[in-house]
């Protein structure tokens, strides 16, 4: 029988007890109450020490639970030593949660930084063909601030490069104001955007307003369910967790049940292994299969989008061509680790469409998805059904999907000039042969009707296409060999082809490719990529056979742009081309030229110090200019970026509070990162008494002008900052006696002057 606690007089007695369970200390102290000889505790307190409290256990009026009311619990109370010994079966213990990377920190409110300024990315190219000259360029303009971003993208043409039939020399792509809320994971847009969509809906270009959830605002957030492994340790042990043979992490566990959640694994099928090792070296091995897919959402996570406005027509060709007014919304939510539900609704003039679907995991085999949608409007109705299945494995992968729609099915895309997607079939299979390479086969088929007569633009003629392809590749030492074949057939006839080749790496940045194809062409290409500033690159291509073609270009990546020059000869004509890609940024009342800024950037400010080395993630990215500034163009938005400067580049007479800075920049924005640097105006004083002996260590010297105290070290030396041309110090020895000294100071750039021996004259007490 369970040992009862000693009988006590009526009344409550609070106890703080160290708890041991099944002979092992929990390392925790819990608060208990002795009431009428019974030991009681709050259920939340018991959960903290790992004890499971069944819902059926009675609770007192103040919410306490008597430990002996929990079936199977035995206890022994040692009041003298303030210890409680519990004997509990594993079924009554909560599993200890083991975090392989340490305790998971609570979700903190994140601070995202942004300056205020302008950035223009440009990509301009000029061509010369025969006697014709032409030019083409793309511009990405954006104004950023802590209150959001306004951006606009344009295409521009000149001379012979202007497309046939173009009605303007410049075409506007998207112009939009965007505001991202990193703590609610929500993004707001006003202007041009692409609607949110599901795998069975068709996104379109619109101009209007949009709100959507965006997990990219939290790059560290894993959105799909991760596998969990659990077990029971008979004694304190060490666990090692492996996925597909690779060690993930190790950790220690106490005796009792444990659980390792959120294991970091790659998507697809695999095996998790756990090795449990106790203090005697005895091991227990546990393995379990898993399947992880990014098509699922973790339980409780949801994504959504809602938008309304005008449909953009002829996007990329015409700046302002609009269809009908439309609105749409999508939603997805993780219900369980193996089930995600989704839904969509959209409407426009003459059609309203709504549908629902699900993505489910079938054991460890793979995932399946199904959906059904219905449309109505203008007296007609239609349906669309989608189904698919997929398994991704380390050795063998296979998948297939099908979308079928009735002839009268209408969505917003169909009502605005796109064809009705009547049928879409796809399938693939791939096999890894390990050191013998990998092989795959794929099939895709689509039947798209002509645009309905009720559409805003009924020019889509309809198309039917089918293609089947197969490929094989293998790595032989450093050489990659591949072969592929395809065959197409459909309403416009069919073609087939075969291609084989190999790639030979020459250096870290260069390689050579050799290809042959069934149409009689032989191709040779040698190229060297540009990666960092100062790199030169080249690309030489020769094709011989039915279609003779030669091409050569050279590239150089400077601190302010990527410049490319090349010559192309084919179809009996020669084209000379010159291209420049870069960016101009206006921030902090200065203009900074740089290479293209596709995400965020930072301007490092070490003024008044110049030529200081700057590091991003411990990688040297350049030195500050003569004005003490450097633009770093490839910062990761919403993620933690580490910036530092080289302390040895700072002269001895200069102080910097910190040589490191962590920041999270806003997307497509610039941040000013200032390292406060100041001239120390310091000197090393050598203080002696009236007899010429150094003042004793431990004395305190105070600069009269700032009233700042500094310690005296060995040999009477004291380092003092913020000195004036003429200075006076008061020294207090350990015995309480004082002395006074005065001296002049002249700054020496880059050095700490030594002043002394400086006689300190005793003062009357």
């Amino acid at each position: 029988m369970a040992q009862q606690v000693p009988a006590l007089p009526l009344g409550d007695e609070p106890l703080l007890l160290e708890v041991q369970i099944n002979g092992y200390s929990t390392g925790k102290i819990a608060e208990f109450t002795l009431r009428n000889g019974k030991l009681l505790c709050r259920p939340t307190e018991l959960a903290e020490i790992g004890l499971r409290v069944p819902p059926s256990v009675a609770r007192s009026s103040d919410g306490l639970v008597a430990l002996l009311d929990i079936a199977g619990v035995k206890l022994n109370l040692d009041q003298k030593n303030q210890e409680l010994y519990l004997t509990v079966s594993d079924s009554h213990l909560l599993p200890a949660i083991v975090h392989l990377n340490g305790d998971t920190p609570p979700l903190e409110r994140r601070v995202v930084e942004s300056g205020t300024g302008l950035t223009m990315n440009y990509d301009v190219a000029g061509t010369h063909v025969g006697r014709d000259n032409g030019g083409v360029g793309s511009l990405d303009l954006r104004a950023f601030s802590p209150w959001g971003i306004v951006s606009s993208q344009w295409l521009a043409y000149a001379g012979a490069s202007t497309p046939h039939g173009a009605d303007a020399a410049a075409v506007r792509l998207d112009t939009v104001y965007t505001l991202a809320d990193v703590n609610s994971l929500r993004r707001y847009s006003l202007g041009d955007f692409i609607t949110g969509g599901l795998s069975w809906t068709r996104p379109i270009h619109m101009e209007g307003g949009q709100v959507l959830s965006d997990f990219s605002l939290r790059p560290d957030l894993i959105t799909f369910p991760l596998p969990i492994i659990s077990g029971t340790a008979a004694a304190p042990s060490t666990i090692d967790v492996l996925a597909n043979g690779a060690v993930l992490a190790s950790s220690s566990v106490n005796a009792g049940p444990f659980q390792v959640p959120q294991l970091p694994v790659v998507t697809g099928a695999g095996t998790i292994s756990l090795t449990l090792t106790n203090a005697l070296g005895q091991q227990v091995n546990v393995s379990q299969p898993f399947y992880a897919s990014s098509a699922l959402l973790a339980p409780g996570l949801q994504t959504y989008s809602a938008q309304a406005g005008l449909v953009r027509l002829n996007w990329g060709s015409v700046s302002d061509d609009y269809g009908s007014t439309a609105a749409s919304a999508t939603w997805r939510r993780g219900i369980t680790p193996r089930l995600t539900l989704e839904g969509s609704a959209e409407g426009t003039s003459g059609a309203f469409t709504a549908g629902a679907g699900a993505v489910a995991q079938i054991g460890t085999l793979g995932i399946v998805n199904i959906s059904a949608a219905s449309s109505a409007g203008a007296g007609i109705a239609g349906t669309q059904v989608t189904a698919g299945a997929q398994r991704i494995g380390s050795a063998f992968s296979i998948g297939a999907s099908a979308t079928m729609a009735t002839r009268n099915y209408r969505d917003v895309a169909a009502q605005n000039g796109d064809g009705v997607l009547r049928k879409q079939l796809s399938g693939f299979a791939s096999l890894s042969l390990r050191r013998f390479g990998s092989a795959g086969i794929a099939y895709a088929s689509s039947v798209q009707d002509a645009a309905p007569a009720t559409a805003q633009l009924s020019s889509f003629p309809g198309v039917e296409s089918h293609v089947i392809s197969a490929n094989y590749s293998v790595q032989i030492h450093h050489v990659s060999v591949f072969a592929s074949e395809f065959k197409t057939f459909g309403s416009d006839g069919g073609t087939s082809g075969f291609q084989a080749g190999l790639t030979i790496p020459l250096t870290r940045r260069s390689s050579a490719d050799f290809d042959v194809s069934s149409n009689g062409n032989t191709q040779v290409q040698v190229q060297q990529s540009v990666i960092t500033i100062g790199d030169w690159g080249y690309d030489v291509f020769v094709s011989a056979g039915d279609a003779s073609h030669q091409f050569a270009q050279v590239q150089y990546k400077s601190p302010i742009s990527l410049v490319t020059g090349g010559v192309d000869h084919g179809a009996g004509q020669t084209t000379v081309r010159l291209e420049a890609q870069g960016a101009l940024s206006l921030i902090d009342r200065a203009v900074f030229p740089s290479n293209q800024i596709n995400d965020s950037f930072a301007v490092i400010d070490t003024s008044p110090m110049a030529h200081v080395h700057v590091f991003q993630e411990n990688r040297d990215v350049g030195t500050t200019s003569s004005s003490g500034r450097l633009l770093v163009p490839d910062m990761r938005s919403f993620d933690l970026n580490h910036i530092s400067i080289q302390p040895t580049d700072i002269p001895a007479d200069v102080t910097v509070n910190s040589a490191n800075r962590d920041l999270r920049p806003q997307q497509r924005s610039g941040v000013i990162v200032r390292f406060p640097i100041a001239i120390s105006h310091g000197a090393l004083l050598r203080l002696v008494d009236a007899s010429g002996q150094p003042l004793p260590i431990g004395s305190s010297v105070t600069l009269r002008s700032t009233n700042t105290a500094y310690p005296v070290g060995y040999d009477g030396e004291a380092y003092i900052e913020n000195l004036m041309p003429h200075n006076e110090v008061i020294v207090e020895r350990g015995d309480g006696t004082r002395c006074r000294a005065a001296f002049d100071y002249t700054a020496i750039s880059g050095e700490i002057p030594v002043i002394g021996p400086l006689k300190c004259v005793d003062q009357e007490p």
Side-chain angles (χ1 to χ4, degrees):
M1 294 183 59
Q3 181 176 341
Q4 187 62 272
V5 297
L8 292 174
L10 295 178
D12 290 352
E13 180 182 353
L15 297 174
L16 293 176
L17 305 175
E18 181 182 351
V19 182
Q20 292 193 19
I21 296 179
N22 296 335
Y24 296 99
S25 174
T26 63
K28 297 179 180 179
I29 297 176
E31 182 180 357
F32 297 87
T33 299
L34 268 176
R35 178 181 296 167
N36 299 328
K38 291 186 176 182
L39 193 64
L40 297 90
C41 188
R42 294 190 303 273
T44 54
E45 195 88 359
L46 294 176
E48 285 290 327
I49 62 174
L51 193 62
R52 188 191 304 274
V53 180
S56 58
V57 175
R59 289 164 170 74
S60 63
S61 59
D62 53 359
L64 301 181
V65 170
L67 267 68
L68 292 181
D69 287 346
I70 304 174
V73 174
K74 299 178 182 180
L75 63 84
N76 188 357
L77 176 62
D78 184 349
Q79 284 188 267
K80 180 179 179 181
N81 295 312
Q82 293 184 304
E83 293 180 332
L84 176 64
Y85 303 89
L86 296 176
T87 303
V88 185
S89 63
D90 287 345
S91 61
H92 287 82
L93 291 176
L94 293 170
I97 305 300
V98 180
H99 298 288
L100 297 180
N101 297 317
D103 292 336
T104 301
L107 292 177
E108 78 279 10
R109 184 171 180 82
R110 299 198 165 194
V111 176
V112 175
E113 300 181 44
S114 175
T116 299
L118 303 170
T119 291
M120 180 185 71
N121 276 335
Y122 61 86
D123 183 351
V124 295
T127 60
H128 175 76
V129 184
R131 297 182 179 180
D132 295 326
N133 297 318
V136 62
S138 66
L139 299 178
D140 178 7
L141 310 170
R142 58 183 183 260
F144 53 87
S145 74
W147 304 278
I149 304 161
V150 177
S151 62
S152 185
Q153 293 84 41
W154 292 77
L155 295 177
Y157 309 96
S161 298
T162 304
H164 178 70
D167 59 355
V171 176
R172 181 180 65 86
L173 300 179
D174 291 327
T175 302
V176 62
Y177 165 74
T178 303
L179 175 64
D181 186 344
V182 67
N183 292 296
S184 66
L185 301 182
R186 190 176 297 133
R187 187 186 296 272
Y188 304 90
S189 299
L190 188 63
D192 299 304
F193 51 82
I194 298 176
T195 60
L198 304 174
S199 61
W200 42 274
T201 64
R202 296 196 290 180
I204 59 174
H205 286 274
M206 289 185 64
E207 184 173 279
Q210 181 186 55
V211 57
L212 53 79
S213 57
D214 188 352
F215 289 144
S216 69
L217 305 182
R218 280 286 304 271
D220 61 327
L221 184 63
I222 299 176
T223 61
F224 59 89
L226 293 174
I228 297 173
I229 193 168
S230 58
T232 300
S237 305
T238 299
I239 60 172
D240 297 291
V241 182
L242 299 87
N244 297 331
V247 177
L248 295 179
S250 300
S251 183
S252 59
V253 295
N254 293 323
F258 62 87
Q259 187 179 86
V260 187
Q262 302 291 298
L263 291 170
V265 297
V266 295
T267 56
T271 301
I272 294 178
S273 301
L274 181 144
T275 301
L276 193 67
T277 307
N278 62 20
L280 299 178
Q282 299 170 322
Q283 290 187 339
V284 176
N285 297 310
V286 178
S287 295
Q288 69 179 45
F290 73 88
Y291 194 89
S293 173
S294 58
L296 294 166
L297 284 178
L301 280 184
Q302 66 177 9
T303 63
Y304 54 86
S305 69
Q307 49 269 315
L310 295 173
V311 177
R312 287 281 303 269
L313 303 178
N314 295 308
W315 184 90
S317 300
V318 182
S319 297
D320 301 294
D321 190 4
Y322 303 103
S324 59
T325 302
S328 65
T330 62
W331 170 84
R332 301 186 79 230
R333 184 178 179 87
I335 306 302
T336 71
R338 296 188 174 186
L339 178 64
T340 296
L341 298 182
E342 54 193 23
S344 174
E346 58 184 58
T348 187
S349 176
F352 174 78
T353 306
V359 181
Q361 180 177 324
I362 308 301
T364 58
L365 295 177
I367 61 169
V368 296
N369 62 281
I370 57 172
S371 67
S374 177
S375 68
I380 58 175
T383 58
Q384 174 187 275
V385 178
T386 300
Q390 178 178 270
R391 173 182 170 82
I392 305 297
S394 58
F396 180 68
S397 300
I398 189 171
S401 66
T403 299
M404 309 291 291
T406 62
R407 190 173 299 276
N408 292 327
Y409 181 75
R410 300 288 185 268
D411 57 7
V412 173
Q415 289 297 103
N416 287 272
D418 206 350
V420 177
L421 188 60
R422 290 282 311 286
K423 181 172 68 174
Q424 187 174 39
L425 305 175
S426 64
F428 74 91
S430 64
L431 177 64
S432 173
L433 304 173
R434 299 183 181 274
R435 63 188 182 93
F436 297 106
S438 60
I441 187 171
Y443 171 77
S445 171
S446 67
V447 177
Q448 194 167 2
D449 288 350
T454 56
Q456 293 286 326
L457 180 67
S458 304
S459 60
F460 188 82
V463 66
E464 178 179 352
S465 66
H466 311 270
V467 59
I468 184 170
S469 62
N471 65 83
Y472 171 78
S473 63
V474 64
Q475 187 85 15
I476 303 175
H477 297 294
H478 296 294
V479 179
S480 299
V481 181
F482 77 93
S484 64
E485 186 170 7
F486 73 93
K487 181 176 179 58
T488 66
F489 45 94
S491 57
D492 57 349
T495 59
S496 63
F498 173 81
Q499 187 177 17
L502 55 87
T503 299
I504 304 173
L506 303 177
T507 65
R508 184 178 63 90
R509 295 191 291 118
S510 62
S511 63
D513 298 284
F514 303 90
D515 300 342
V516 294
S517 57
S518 57
N519 60 7
N521 285 335
T522 301
Q523 301 174 356
V524 178
Q525 184 175 20
V526 181
Q527 58 185 339
Q528 176 172 288
S529 60
V530 293
I531 300 175
T532 60
I533 292 175
D535 285 349
W536 285 89
Y538 57 83
D539 190 351
V540 179
F541 173 85
V542 177
S543 175
D546 292 344
S548 178
H549 185 197
Q550 298 83 38
F551 170 77
Q553 72 173 23
V554 63
Q555 289 184 310
Y556 175 69
K557 190 169 186 177
S558 73
I560 61 173
S561 67
L562 175 65
V563 181
T564 304
V567 179
D568 187 301
H569 179 76
Q573 66 179 15
T574 300
T575 302
V576 180
R577 188 170 185 270
L578 183 64
E579 181 180 10
Q581 300 168 275
L584 295 172
S585 299
L586 172 63
I587 187 172
D588 200 27
R589 295 176 294 181
V591 176
F592 298 89
S594 70
N595 284 275
Q596 285 196 338
I597 302 172
N598 297 312
D599 195 355
S600 302
F601 70 92
V603 173
I604 314 303
D605 189 348
T606 61
S607 59
M609 293 305 305
H611 311 301
V612 177
H613 280 81
V614 177
F615 297 86
Q616 180 187 16
E617 314 299 341
N618 297 320
R619 176 175 58 92
D620 192 344
V621 292
T623 58
T624 57
S625 65
S626 58
S627 63
R629 290 177 171 181
L630 173 69
L631 187 144
V632 181
D634 53 354
M635 304 289 286
R636 305 180 310 277
S637 60
F638 305 121
D639 202 358
L640 196 62
N641 294 258
H642 304 280
I643 296 293
S644 60
I645 58 176
Q646 180 65 268
T648 56
D649 289 345
I650 306 299
D653 63 335
V654 173
T655 60
V656 56
N657 292 336
S658 175
N660 301 279
R661 173 76 188 279
D662 295 340
L663 68 151
R664 285 189 176 92
Q666 181 179 253
Q667 188 178 37
R668 292 167 57 82
S669 300
V671 181
I672 302 295
V673 181
R674 289 189 171 90
F675 287 89
I677 291 176
I679 306 299
S680 63
H681 295 290
L684 185 65
L685 304 186
R686 289 179 176 171
L687 300 165
V688 297
D689 58 17
S691 63
Q693 295 298 313
L695 293 184
I697 185 174
S699 302
S700 175
V701 55
T702 301
L703 182 64
R704 290 285 299 271
S705 61
T706 63
N707 201 32
T708 303
Y710 301 89
V712 176
Y714 291 104
D715 299 324
E717 293 183 344
Y719 175 71
I720 299 179
E721 294 181 335
N722 300 315
L723 296 174
M724 306 293 288
H726 183 74
N727 304 272
E728 182 179 341
V729 294
I730 304 296
V731 179
E732 183 175 348
R733 303 181 181 91
D735 58 4
T737 60
R738 294 187 176 188
C739 62
R740 170 188 173 279
F743 60 94
D744 293 329
Y745 165 77
T746 301
I748 302 176
S749 179
E751 297 184 15
I752 301 295
V754 178
I755 300 176
L758 187 63
K759 184 174 292 186
C760 192
V761 180
D762 289 341
Q763 291 183 313
E764 294 295 331

